[in-house]
C-alpha cells in the first residue's frame, strides 16, 4: 500500500504579496528560478506521489500550464540549441499528472479539501500546503507516509514552534507512542492563543488523511475566522478513530510571509552549487557596506 495522490490547495489570493499577486498567482512567485509551487510538487514527486489535484480559483490557470508541456517554447529552445534548458522545461511538463478543481468560494482550508473527495475515492491521500516549504533529506510527505504504513491511520506532520507563535498554526495534543517523534493525537486546535495551547507542536501544512475526513468536513461548523477549518475536521476524526502526529525532520520556511520568503531565497541560494558563491559574496558585501 502506498500514497499516490496529493491535494494542493492553491485558491488563496496571496494578499501578503500584493501588488505582485494582483496579476500573478502567489504560487508562481519564484524562489531563485523556480516558482514556489514547483518545490511543493517536487516534494510530492520525490515522495512517490503519482497524481496531484490543485484546488484552484479564478485566475490560477498558469499553475496548470506550468506543469503542462509548452511545445512552442520547446521548439524555440531546440532551434537555438539550448539543450539543457530544453530538457529542464520538458521535465517540468512531464513531472507528474495534474488535474484541478475550482473552489468557487474561499470558505477555508477544510472547505478546499472537501473538493478532493471524488479525486481521492477510497484511498488515503496527502495534503501539501505550498506556502510552507521544507528542506529535508527525506521529503516530509514521505516521512509521514512511513508512519502511515505502520499504523494505517491519518498522520499529521508537526514541528516545535516558539510558544508565542501557537496562534499562527493548527496545534496538536497527544501522547508520544514512539520515543519523541510520533504521537497518538487527543485533539487538534486551530490557532490557539499561547495560554490556551496544550503544546507547541504545530503543523506547517503536511497531512496524510483517510477518506473519513470528508464525513468530518461535512459535520464541522465554521471555526476560527468564520472558515471551515481542516483542523476542526481532524479534531473530530481523532474522536472517532486513531489519528497520529509525527515530528518530522527538516527546516521549514513560511514562504507565505515576506520574512519567510526572503529567508527561503537566501537559504536556497546558499544550498545550490550554482548560486552559493554569488549569494555568499552578496551577503559579505552587504554586511560591509551597511556595517551590519
Ligand atoms: C493553515 C492551517 C493551519 C496550519 C497552517 C500552516 O492556516 O489552517 O492549521 O498550521 O496553514 O501554514 P493558514 O496559514 O492558511 O491560516
Amino acid at each position: 500500500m502506498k500514497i499516490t495522490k496529493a491535494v494542493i490547495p492553491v485558491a488563496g489570493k496571496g494578499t501578503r504579496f500584493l501588488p505582485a499577486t494582483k496579476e500573478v498567482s502567489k504560487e508562481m512567485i519564484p524562489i531563485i528560478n523556480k516558482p514556489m509551487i514547483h518545490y511543493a510538487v517536487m516534494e510530492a514527486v520525490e515522495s512517490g506521489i503519482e497524481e496531484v489535484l490543485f484546488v484552484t480559483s479564478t485566475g490560477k490557470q498558469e499553475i496548470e500550464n506550468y506543469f503542462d508541456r509548452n511545445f512552442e517554447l520547446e521548439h524555440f529552445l531546440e532551434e537555438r540549441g539550448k539543450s539543457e534548458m530544453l530538457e529542464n522545461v520538458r521535465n517540468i511538463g512531464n513531472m507528474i499528472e495534474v488535474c484541478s478543481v475550482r473552489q468557487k468560494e474561499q470558505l477555508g482550508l477544510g472547505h478546499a479539501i472537501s473538493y478532493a473527495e471524488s479525486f481521492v475515492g477510497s484511498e488515503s491521500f496527502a495534503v501539501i500546503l505550498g506556502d510552507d516549504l521544507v528542506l529535508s533529506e527525506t521529503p516530509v510527505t514521505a516521512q509521514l507516509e512511513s508512519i502511515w504504513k505502520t499504523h494505517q491511520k491519518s498522520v499529521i506532520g508537526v514541528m516545535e514552534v516558539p510558544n508565542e507563535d501557537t496562534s499562527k498554526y493548527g496545534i496538536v495534543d497527544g501522547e508520544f507512542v514512539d520515543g519523541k517523534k510520533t504521537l497518538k493525537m487527543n485533539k487538534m486546535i486551530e490557532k490557539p492563543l499561547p495560554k490556551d495551547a496544550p503544546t507547541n507542536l504545530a503543523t506547517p501544512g503536511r497531512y496524510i488523511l483517510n477518506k473519513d475526513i470528508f464525513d468530518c468536513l461535512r459535520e464541522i461548523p465554521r471555526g476560527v475566522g468564520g472558515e471551515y477549518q481542516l483542523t476542526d475536521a481532524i479534531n473530530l476524526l481523532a474522536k472517532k478513530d486513531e489519528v497520529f502526529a509525527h515530528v518530522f525532520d527538516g527546516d521549514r520556511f513560511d514562504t507565505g510571509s515576506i520574512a519567510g520568503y526572503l529567508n527561503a531565497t537566501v537559504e536556497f541560494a546558499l544550498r545550490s552549487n550554482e548560486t552559493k558563491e554569488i549569494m555568499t559574496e552578496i551577503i559579505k558585501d552587504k554586511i560591509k557596506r551597511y556595517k551590519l
Side-chain angles (χ1 to χ4, degrees):
M1 289 268 276
K2 74 195 269 300
I3 303 290
T4 60
K5 293 179 178 174
V7 179
I8 307 187
V10 293
K13 294 253 177 286
T15 49
R16 284 190 279 184
F17 281 87
L18 278 169
T21 46
K22 185 168 168 270
E23 295 300 329
V24 175
S25 306
K26 89 174 156 183
E27 293 79 11
M28 294 306 292
I29 293 179
I31 295 179
I32 321 289
N33 61 350
K34 295 186 188 78
M36 287 189 210
I37 192 68
H38 184 109
Y39 298 97
V41 171
M42 204 59 211
E43 178 186 325
V45 172
E46 288 175 352
S47 299
I49 299 289
E50 291 162 13
E51 278 175 85
V52 163
L53 174 73
F54 293 121
V55 182
T56 70
S57 59
T58 179
K60 297 275 179 167
Q61 294 85 336
E62 51 195 347
I63 297 175
E64 271 177 278
N65 291 347
Y66 181 79
F67 293 101
D68 197 354
R69 298 281 297 269
N70 180 335
F71 291 105
E72 205 182 314
L73 177 62
E74 287 180 23
H75 180 68
F76 175 88
L77 295 171
E78 199 161 20
E79 273 202 329
R80 279 156 187 77
K82 310 244 181 223
S83 48
E84 200 181 320
M85 273 183 212
L86 174 65
E87 205 189 319
N88 285 342
V89 164
R90 228 177 234 158
N91 286 346
I92 295 166
N94 290 327
M95 215 163 147
I96 196 162
E97 284 303 315
V98 301
C99 57
S100 70
V101 58
R102 285 278 184 112
Q103 185 188 10
K104 291 182 185 145
E105 274 181 287
Q106 277 74 67
L107 301 179
L109 179 59
H111 180 245
I113 299 306
S114 67
Y115 277 83
E117 189 165 13
S118 60
F119 168 74
V120 300
S122 58
E123 291 175 42
S124 291
F125 62 102
V127 174
I128 299 175
L129 301 191
D131 274 357
D132 296 272
L133 299 184
V134 183
L135 290 175
S136 51
E137 224 160 85
T138 306
V140 189
T141 298
Q143 293 181 42
L144 301 187
E145 188 192 22
S146 71
I147 307 302
W148 172 82
K149 277 187 174 149
T150 310
H151 300 282
Q152 299 286 314
K153 302 286 178 186
S154 297
V155 186
I156 317 303
V158 292
M159 60 187 185
E160 282 191 38
V161 297
N163 290 340
E164 62 270 25
D165 284 352
T166 56
S167 60
K168 295 182 187 161
Y169 302 97
I171 299 290
V172 158
D173 190 18
E175 278 99 47
F176 283 100
V177 290
D178 158 25
K180 281 271 167 231
K181 295 293 257 179
T182 305
L183 305 95
K184 189 170 155 327
M185 192 193 292
N186 293 331
K187 61 179 172 191
M188 190 167 179
I189 310 172
E190 181 68 1
K191 304 195 173 89
L193 292 173
K195 69 176 176 53
D196 302 323
T199 69
N200 62 348
L201 294 173
T203 183
R206 293 295 186 280
Y207 316 80
I208 288 185
L209 301 169
N210 68 29
K211 67 171 177 29
D212 296 337
I213 197 68
F214 296 110
D215 286 333
C216 297
L217 284 166
R218 273 185 279 274
E219 285 178 46
I220 52 161
R222 288 179 190 246
V224 171
E227 298 187 338
Y228 293 99
Q229 297 291 350
L230 181 59
T231 294
D232 294 343
I234 295 169
N235 187 48
L236 184 58
L237 186 62
K239 290 192 169 73
K240 301 179 180 194
D241 191 8
E242 285 182 321
V243 175
F244 291 84
H246 182 69
V247 184
F248 60 83
D249 294 321
D251 297 324
R252 174 265 184 172
F253 299 86
D254 169 19
T255 51
S257 74
I258 298 286
Y261 173 75
L262 292 174
N263 187 12
T265 303
V266 174
E267 180 80 30
F268 281 44
L270 289 174
R271 288 195 193 205
S272 150
N273 288 338
E274 281 164 42
T275 47
K276 188 178 171 188
E277 278 179 31
I278 306 168
M279 186 52 98
T280 308
E281 282 313 307
I282 292 173
I283 295 171
K284 281 186 189 159
D285 178 63
K286 300 298 172 211
I287 291 174
K288 212 161 126 196
R289 186 160 180 191
Y290 296 104
K291 303 190 173 44
L292 299 173

